[in-house]
Amino acid sequence: MSSRRLPELTERVERQIDLAPCNGCDQCGLRCEAGVRMTRAEFLAVQRFIEHAPNRAQIEAVTRQDKTVDLGDGVTVTLCRYRDMRAGRCMVYPARPLVCRLLGHVEWMPCPIQKVEKVAATPDALQLMREYARHERRTFDEWEQTDRMPIMRETE
C-alpha cells in the first residue's frame, strides 16, 4: 500500500467522529497512559506544535509534573508526559496521535461515560488501524532517542 493510504483512511474515519460530546469532558483522561506508540510523522507533528505554541513554557512545565496515578490495590499507572495533571487536559490536544484521537470514538475504545453515542464505522476504523500497524511506531521516548543518535553512513 502507498504511504498516502494512511492519511486517506485517517481522514475518512475522522470525518465520522463527532467531538461535540467531548467538549469540556475529561473522562478519558486515565486512558492517557505513557508509552503510546505513534508514527514518526505524529511525533514530529507534536514537536512542531510545541515549538510554535504560545504556551510552550506551560507545556514544558506540565512535562515535569508527577504523572503517577494510584488506581488502588497497589496498581499504579504513569500517564502521558503531556497530560496536565492539575487542569486535567492534554497540552498537545490538536496534535495528539491517532490512538489518542480515537479514544471514545471507536467500538473497542468506548467512551467511559457513554457520552459519545455515534462511533466511527467499525470496518473503516479497523481498516485504518490495519494500515496504521504497517507503519513504524515508537513512543515519545523512543523517537527522541532515535533523533539523538548520529546518522551512520555506509562507507564504501
Side-chain angles (χ1 to χ4, degrees), residues 58-144:
Q58 184 182 7
I59 294 171
E60 290 172 1
V62 162
T63 65
R64 293 187 295 274
Q65 293 174 346
D66 178 13
K67 306 298 179 171
T68 307
V69 176
D70 183 351
L71 299 177
D73 291 336
V75 177
T76 60
V77 294
T78 303
L79 298 186
C80 177
R81 67 172 66 178
Y82 297 113
R83 174 132 178 92
D84 185 335
M85 302 298 284
R86 292 184 191 101
R89 64 187 174 122
C90 175
M91 295 302 291
V92 296
Y93 190 82
R96 69 199 184 283
L98 176 65
V99 169
C100 304
R101 291 192 310 261
L102 294 180
L103 283 175
H105 297 280
V106 292
E107 177 184 338
W108 60 91
M109 293 188 294
C111 172
I113 59 170
Q114 301 170 345
K115 196 172 176 182
V116 176
E117 295 176 11
K118 181 183 173 273
V119 296
T122 298
D124 290 342
L126 285 174
Q127 188 177 8
L128 169 60
M129 293 312 294
R130 284 186 188 109
E131 178 61 24
Y132 188 65
R134 293 179 183 178
H135 294 259
E136 180 179 14
R137 290 167 293 124
R138 298 180 182 187
T139 65
F140 282 116
D141 291 339
E142 291 167 339
W143 282 120
E144 286 175 342

Side-chain angles (χ1 to χ4, degrees), residues 49-63:
F49 176 81
I50 294 167
E51 185 178 313
H52 296 100
N55 64 338
R56 183 176 180 172
Q58 184 182 7
I59 294 171
E60 290 172 1
V62 162
T63 65

